[in-house]
Amino acid sequence: MYDMAIELKSDGTKHLYEQIYEHIREEIKGGKLLSGERLPSTRALAEYLQISRSTVDFAYEQLVSEGYIEAVPHKGFFVCRLEELPEGNMQGSLDGVEQENRIKKADEKAVPKACGKDAGKAYEKAVRKACGKDAGLDFSPNGLDMSVFPFSVWKRITKNILTEGNEELFALGEPQGDYDLRQTISRYLHSARGVNCMPEQIVVGAGNDYLLMILEKLLGQAAGIAMENPTYKRAFHIFKSFGYRVEIIGMDKNGMKAEELYEKQVQAAYVMPSHQYPSGITMPIGRRMELLRWAGEAEERYLIEDDYDSEFRYKGKPIPSLQGADTGGNVIYIGTFSKAIAPAIRVSYMVLPPRLLKRYQKECYFYSSTVSRIDQRILNEFIRDGYFERYLNKTRKIYREKHDILLQELKPFLKKFRISGEDAGLHLLLGLRDKSFTEKELVERAQENGVRVYAFSEARVAQSDEAGNPTVILGYGGLRKEEIPEGIAKLKQAWL
């Protein structure tokens, strides 16, 4: 079972345990949690929701007493089989399309640890060398820790698939991606991110570039795109290469300024509400509602939600996706496994709202899937059989430890610098309180001391009067824990 996105209300109308109980009960009755499916442990769910474990215990006890779930000693809690299970009615589903209730039980065997650490270090070294970053310590916001990746599990799954001799895997698959993988992704997204979708709404592609290309065919070249400033510049350049008119929208502490959208003739707005890159802003519910209101006030308006690293959050309760709050079919949801699993897993996915899905089936049906069916099968089994969940739990722990080490080491900088964007993701911002250095000088001084950092202004797509003080981006995902104090000590010599 993945994490469970539950929106808890603290208005006093219901106890927290009642809200958890009712959410899980309705998920079971609606067919979104299937018979035999394992629920998160009470400890894991309590930690994920940032509440006491006893609150989750109360909810689970009530579900057990009513026969919705059962407790299996030494294994956990599982959904019971219910007679005459009513069909779910997923928000945004297409008429006449039934959700297939097929899933295998999670494998309870321990993940083999063979070849994890050594293979991870070799992978990390190869990546650094290939990127020309072998010299010095690199605080790249794109770095990942591969030291605990279950290489032996991935290898075993691959071997089993190839030795089965399935001829169908060597035939041309469905343009949107194999149905089994899309079903697994839809279940993961609903459970972990609160996304409401069916497998039929998902398009699988080799990276976000391909998905944005498909989106260009659906929106048309005349569409204007609104983007934040600063933003993810790769997406900006891709939109510009399509010939789109890209309008730059200002930001405040809550993210994209919704009121400015009304001043622009645009059809879509590209946003990262869960963790904006590079600012690290998490968009509050009020601003999300403003964006959804803008999108719903005219036909063919859309919000493109890029949820690129929502799996990693260190403070506060998990925040459901923007798509989960959409009632008008105005959100296009895009995600990737490159951050959560590995950069080489070039598998991204896009959830299309119903009217865009109909257009896709009519106008883009002839585009073949860009992901090998073998790779799709491997990824599907990796997620479906529980390995992804276990790997994600390990990496979350590792990144949280690195995050805490970095914050501790940066304490001597707080008189001269300000920290922001540290609540989620794999990077934070370090901004000067004055203008004693320029960003270029900060980067150059760091490089002279054997450390690579990144200028915040490099993510800007337009000059702004609200540029603020010089700021650098510090990523910590790709560094070993012992390298972080070493790198910060060198930055102390360079800047303090």
Side-chain angles (χ1 to χ4, degrees):
M1 179 63 191
Y2 321 110
D3 293 322
M4 187 172 292
I6 304 176
E7 186 175 357
L8 298 178
K9 298 179 180 179
S10 55
D11 55 9
T13 57
K14 288 185 180 179
H15 294 294
L16 294 181
Y17 81 87
E18 290 181 286
Q19 297 178 49
I20 296 171
Y21 155 76
E22 290 178 357
H23 176 88
I24 297 176
R25 182 192 63 186
E26 294 307 312
E27 294 286 283
I28 295 173
K29 291 172 66 177
K32 296 170 185 176
L33 288 174
L34 305 183
S35 172
E37 187 166 357
R38 181 165 59 88
L39 298 179
S41 68
T42 56
R43 183 188 300 276
L45 185 57
E47 182 178 351
Y48 185 68
L49 297 176
Q50 297 290 295
I51 59 178
S52 69
R53 186 177 178 183
S54 61
T55 300
V56 181
D57 285 333
F58 286 143
Y60 276 27
E61 287 172 6
Q62 185 64 28
L63 290 165
V64 170
S65 65
E66 294 183 12
Y68 286 101
I69 65 176
E70 62 177 335
V72 180
H74 309 298
K75 290 188 177 181
F77 293 91
F78 294 83
V79 177
C80 294
R81 181 179 299 278
L82 300 182
E83 299 297 332
E84 300 180 358
L85 186 68
E87 292 185 1
N89 182 22
M90 277 194 177
Q91 184 182 54
S93 301
L94 296 180
D95 292 339
V97 181
E98 295 182 358
Q99 187 182 24
E100 186 176 353
N101 293 331
R102 293 182 293 126
I103 190 170
K104 292 184 179 179
K105 292 183 179 179
D107 186 353
E108 295 300 319
K109 297 180 181 179
V111 180
K113 298 181 180 179
C115 81
K117 185 177 292 185
D118 293 338
K121 289 182 178 179
Y123 180 93
E124 180 183 359
K125 185 176 181 181
V127 170
R128 290 192 175 203
K129 186 175 182 180
C131 295
K133 300 175 182 178
D134 205 28
L137 296 173
D138 188 2
F139 283 87
S140 170
N142 299 316
L144 298 179
D145 191 327
M146 299 298 297
S147 63
V148 294
F149 183 80
F151 290 95
S152 58
V153 172
W154 195 271
K155 180 179 179 181
R156 187 176 73 246
I157 294 174
T158 304
K159 181 179 179 181
N160 291 341
I161 289 173
L162 293 177
T163 55
E164 286 175 0
N166 292 328
E167 295 181 3
E168 63 183 42
L169 290 180
F170 295 89
L172 191 64
E174 299 176 66
Q176 290 179 235
D178 285 356
Y179 186 86
D180 285 348
L181 175 59
R182 288 186 283 128
Q183 183 185 39
T184 297
I185 292 174
S186 71
R187 292 178 52 73
Y188 164 68
L189 291 179
H190 177 70
S191 177
R193 300 294 301 126
V195 172
N196 294 308
C197 72
M198 296 187 65
E200 287 79 5
Q201 293 174 256
I202 295 176
V203 178
V204 174
N208 285 8
D209 300 2
Y210 170 77
L211 298 179
L212 293 179
M213 182 199 75
I214 293 293
L215 201 54
E216 183 262 341
K217 305 300 179 185
L218 299 177
L219 297 180
Q221 290 189 340
I225 303 292
M227 297 191 75
E228 300 156 314
N229 187 37
T231 189
Y232 178 45
K233 288 188 75 172
R234 184 176 182 85
F236 171 79
H237 291 309
I238 291 173
F239 286 137
K240 294 290 285 186
S241 72
F242 294 155
Y244 278 157
R245 173 175 46 83
V246 179
E247 298 285 358
I248 304 304
I249 305 296
M251 293 179 62
D252 57 22
K253 64 178 182 179
N254 295 326
M256 178 180 280
K257 296 179 180 179
E259 66 271 13
E260 291 188 13
L261 287 172
Y262 291 93
E263 303 170 6
K264 308 291 184 180
Q265 297 297 317
V266 295
Q267 184 180 347
Y270 177 90
V271 293
M272 296 165 275
S274 294
H275 187 234
Q276 202 274 346
Y277 182 87
S279 69
I281 291 174
T282 298
M283 187 178 292
I285 187 65
R287 182 60 53 84
R288 293 174 183 230
M289 292 300 104
E290 291 178 28
L291 292 178
L292 287 171
R293 190 179 305 115
W294 169 83
E297 288 181 358
E299 290 188 9
E300 297 296 330
R301 272 186 186 172
Y302 297 98
L303 298 172
I304 304 170
E305 179 181 11
D306 188 344
D307 209 17
Y308 70 101
D309 70 349
S310 59
E311 290 87 358
F312 305 111
R313 185 164 186 81
Y314 313 112
K315 185 178 179 181
K317 297 177 182 178
I319 300 174
S321 66
L322 181 65
Q323 194 270 1
D326 176 32
T327 58
N330 299 110
V331 176
I332 303 162
Y333 182 91
I334 296 178
T336 179
F337 290 109
S338 294
K339 282 280 188 181
I341 298 181
I345 307 301
R346 297 294 299 160
V347 178
S348 296
Y349 45 87
M350 176 168 62
V351 179
L352 294 173
R355 59 177 175 268
L356 281 186
L357 177 58
K358 292 178 181 178
R359 191 175 302 163
Y360 170 88
Q361 293 170 338
K362 181 179 179 180
E363 301 177 5
C364 299
Y365 66 91
F366 50 86
Y367 285 101
S368 298
S369 176
T370 51
V371 182
S372 159
R373 296 193 69 194
I374 296 175
D375 290 339
Q376 291 186 57
R377 176 76 173 274
I378 295 169
L379 180 60
N380 180 55
E381 294 193 13
F382 186 74
I383 301 173
R384 184 199 64 197
D385 293 345
Y387 299 116
F388 174 52
E389 178 195 4
R390 290 192 278 267
Y391 173 60
L392 196 55
N393 288 336
K394 289 181 180 179
T395 54
R396 279 176 179 152
K397 181 180 179 181
I398 289 174
Y399 290 140
R400 178 182 285 275
E401 290 174 352
K402 293 182 180 182
H403 165 270
D404 294 346
I405 291 172
L406 180 57
L407 290 180
Q408 179 65 32
E409 295 296 324
L410 286 175
K411 284 185 176 180
F413 290 72
L414 294 181
K415 289 185 178 180
K416 191 171 183 179
F417 289 85
R418 181 181 294 107
I419 298 173
S420 60
E422 74 277 17
D423 294 343
L426 300 178
H427 75 273
L428 55 77
L429 303 182
L430 195 62
L432 273 170
R433 295 182 181 274
D434 54 32
K435 296 188 178 181
S436 54
F437 294 120
T438 65
E439 280 188 0
K440 183 179 179 181
E441 288 172 336
L442 289 173
V443 172
E444 289 177 348
R445 282 173 171 264
Q447 194 165 2
E448 289 171 1
N449 282 267
V451 180
R452 185 165 183 172
V453 298
Y454 297 80
F456 181 76
S457 60
E458 290 299 314
R460 292 193 179 277
V461 294
Q463 295 298 320
S464 171
D465 295 334
E466 304 175 0
N469 289 354
T471 301
V472 295
I473 303 173
L474 294 180
Y476 49 86
L479 292 173
R480 296 191 299 274
K481 286 185 285 188
E482 60 269 21
E483 288 180 320
I484 294 176
E486 178 185 349
I488 297 303
K490 292 182 178 181
L491 291 181
K492 188 175 181 180
Q493 294 175 356
W495 298 340
L496 298 185

